């Protein structure tokens, strides 16, 4: 299996779809991409549904200046965006994504969610069966039984499940508690952790006096529980101060220590610099226990509308 970097960079916010409440441009993101690539952070995670092609188009604008073997693209087939009436829905989606990205093959390709599963596992498996350029095939937002089913279907086509991508953070460890992390480890499957910073709620930037800007989906979810998030962020700062790093680096370092590949959204150059510094952080087992105990006592439910608890 292809060796991947320890951190993936997420382009979800690049879609400008209202989730993050930002208005990002090619001009503002160009230095972010350049800083990452020049420092070896070359695994980029996107999806057509992130702004209905906007994220992929922006990413593609930057990719054209780099040789194909210098970066790794992780992209997704979102069932809700596929053409159910087509005889070749996977090819149709890929062709559109290739055009937006300016490439002709994927490194990692995901079924974004379990809607109409296992239909879309079968569709992707049938499309890539026997192809020399088959990517790492993954599933996102799937529970353990759905993951096992996906692997069985792929193996029946001469392929295998190579990656799982779920919401995983200090405040949502259901993929660990349900046995998914262990299953992935035991079967040599990469586990990608998205929302490790809970969309900025674990960055130390927001509290009851400094809430998320009104009008974004983040504000609706996190502003009502900022009092509890302050407790978590206080513990993060305590450990960050001990290690002489920033609070936002600790949840990412935690995800790495747990054996996952965290996906970190980057919209500013300092976000990239934070990731680079995070790669040098060595959390101890004591740190992990303190962080998990603090999180568990908060008893927060941050499962979002597009996902489910992995039990």
């Amino acid at each position: 299996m292809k060796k991947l970097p320890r951190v993936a960079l997420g382009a979800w916010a690049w879609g400008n779809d209202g989730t993050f409440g930002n208005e990002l441009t090619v001009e503002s993101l160009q230095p972010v991409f350049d800083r990452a690539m020049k420092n070896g952070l070359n695994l980029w995670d996107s999806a057509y549904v992130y702004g209905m092609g906007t994220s992929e188009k922006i990413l593609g604008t930057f990719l054209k200046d780099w040789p194909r073997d210098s970066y790794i693209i992780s992209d997704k087939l979102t069932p809700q965006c596929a053409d159910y009436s087509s005889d070749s829905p996977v090819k149709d989606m890929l062709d559109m994504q290739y055009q937006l990205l300016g490439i002709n093959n994927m490194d990692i390709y995901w079924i974004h969610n379990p809607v109409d599963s296992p239909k879309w596992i079968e569709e992707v498996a049938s499309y890539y069966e026997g192809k020399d350029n088959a990517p790492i095939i993954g599933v996102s937002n799937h529970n353990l039984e759905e993951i096992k089913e996906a692997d069985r279907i792929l193996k029946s086509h001469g392929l295998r499940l190579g990656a799982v991508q779920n919401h995983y953070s200090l405040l949502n460890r259901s993929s660990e508690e349900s046995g998914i992390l262990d299953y992935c480890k035991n079967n040599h499957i990469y586990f990608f952790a998205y929302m490790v910073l809970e969309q900025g709620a674990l960055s130390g930037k927001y509290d009851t006096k400094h809430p998320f800007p009104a009008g974004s989906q983040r504000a609706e979810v996190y502003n009502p529980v900022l009092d509890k998030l302050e407790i978590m962020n206080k513990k993060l700062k305590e450990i960050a101060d001990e290690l002489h790093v920033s609070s936002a680096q600790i949840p990412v370092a935690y995800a790495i220590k747990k054996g996952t590949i965290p996906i970190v959204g980057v919209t500013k150059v300092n976000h990239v610099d934070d990731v680079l510094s995070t790669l040098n952080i060595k959390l101890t087992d004591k740190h992990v226990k303190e962080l998990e105990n603090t999180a568990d006592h908060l008893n927060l439910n941050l499962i979002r509308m597009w996902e489910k608890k992995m039990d």
Side-chain angles (χ1 to χ4, degrees):
M1 183 184 290
K2 179 182 296 186
K3 184 172 177 59
L4 301 181
R6 289 189 289 162
V7 176
L9 300 184
W12 183 1
W14 297 15
N16 288 321
D17 60 3
T19 303
F20 294 85
N22 295 325
E23 289 298 328
L24 300 168
T25 64
V26 169
E27 291 74 22
S28 69
L29 292 170
Q30 181 76 65
V32 178
F33 180 85
D34 291 345
R35 178 69 65 90
M37 290 292 290
K38 289 174 183 177
N39 285 278
L41 296 174
N42 66 343
L43 172 48
W44 299 91
D45 184 79
S46 187
Y48 176 75
V49 76
Y50 300 162
M52 305 309 285
T54 302
S55 171
E56 293 165 323
K57 186 176 182 179
I58 291 176
L59 182 55
T61 300
F62 305 145
L63 296 177
K64 63 180 174 53
D65 296 324
W66 292 78
R68 182 62 184 90
D69 62 358
S70 68
Y71 54 82
I72 300 169
I73 296 301
S74 162
D75 208 337
K76 308 175 187 75
L77 184 151
T78 306
Q80 294 90 330
C81 296
D83 183 358
Y84 276 72
S85 67
S86 172
D87 292 331
S88 56
V90 176
K91 181 180 183 301
D92 295 346
M93 177 63 71
L94 279 167
D95 286 347
M96 180 168 57
Q97 292 171 310
Y98 289 155
Q99 183 175 3
L100 289 164
L101 290 164
I103 62 177
N104 58 16
N105 69 298
M106 295 292 183
D107 298 296
I108 310 170
Y109 201 55
W110 309 84
I111 294 88
H112 203 166
N113 56 57
V115 168
D116 286 338
S117 184
K119 167 184 167 58
W120 291 106
I121 310 291
E122 184 70 43
E123 292 279 4
V124 170
S126 296
Y127 176 79
Y128 278 114
E129 182 173 5
K131 286 185 170 61
D132 293 333
N133 68 336
I136 294 172
I137 297 174
V139 294
S140 182
N141 299 304
H142 284 55
N143 64 27
L144 185 55
E145 287 308 309
E146 290 164 341
I147 289 167
K148 291 178 178 178
E149 179 182 51
D151 202 15
R152 287 194 296 269
I153 292 171
L154 287 163
K155 285 177 177 174
S156 72
H157 289 268
L159 302 162
R160 65 179 295 271
L161 185 68
V164 170
Q165 180 180 148
N166 284 348
H167 179 182
Y168 178 80
S169 74
L170 277 162
L171 301 179
N172 180 4
R173 303 202 308 278
S174 63
S175 283
E176 181 178 8
E177 295 156 353
S178 63
I180 292 174
L181 261 61
D182 282 341
Y183 180 82
C184 289
K185 180 180 179 180
N186 294 334
N187 290 277
H188 307 290
I189 297 170
Y190 289 114
F191 183 93
F192 282 61
Y194 73 79
M195 283 175 57
V196 292
L197 287 168
E198 291 293 337
Q199 297 184 319
L202 297 181
S203 67
K205 182 179 177 181
Y206 303 100
D207 54 35
T208 51
K209 294 181 179 178
H210 306 90
F212 286 90
S216 69
Q217 293 177 23
R218 293 189 299 168
E220 296 176 11
V221 173
Y222 299 109
N223 281 352
V225 294
L226 283 175
D227 55 339
K228 290 188 175 183
L229 291 173
E230 283 181 349
I231 298 172
M232 188 73 248
N233 279 304
K234 181 179 179 182
K235 173 56 67 175
L236 290 171
K237 187 176 187 306
E238 177 185 316
I239 294 175
D241 288 347
E242 177 189 335
L243 299 176
H244 307 291
V245 297
S246 72
S247 294
Q249 293 172 317
I250 300 301
V252 182
Y254 168 82
I256 293 172
K257 185 170 177 62
K258 299 293 281 192
T260 79
I261 297 176
I263 303 172
V264 182
V266 287
T267 58
K268 298 177 182 177
V269 169
N270 70 283
H271 295 164
V272 176
D273 292 339
D274 269 355
V275 172
L276 291 168
S277 297
T278 300
L279 297 176
N280 296 317
I281 294 175
K282 303 294 183 184
L283 291 181
T284 66
D285 292 341
K286 180 174 179 291
H287 290 143
V288 169
K289 186 174 181 180
E290 289 178 5
L291 289 166
E292 292 181 344
N293 285 343
T294 302
D296 291 345
H297 280 99
L298 298 179
N299 195 31
L300 286 169
N301 179 6
L302 298 175
I303 305 299
R304 308 299 287 275
M305 62 180 180
W306 63 81
E307 57 178 338
K308 58 192 174 186
K309 185 175 181 179
M310 298 301 165
D311 52 16

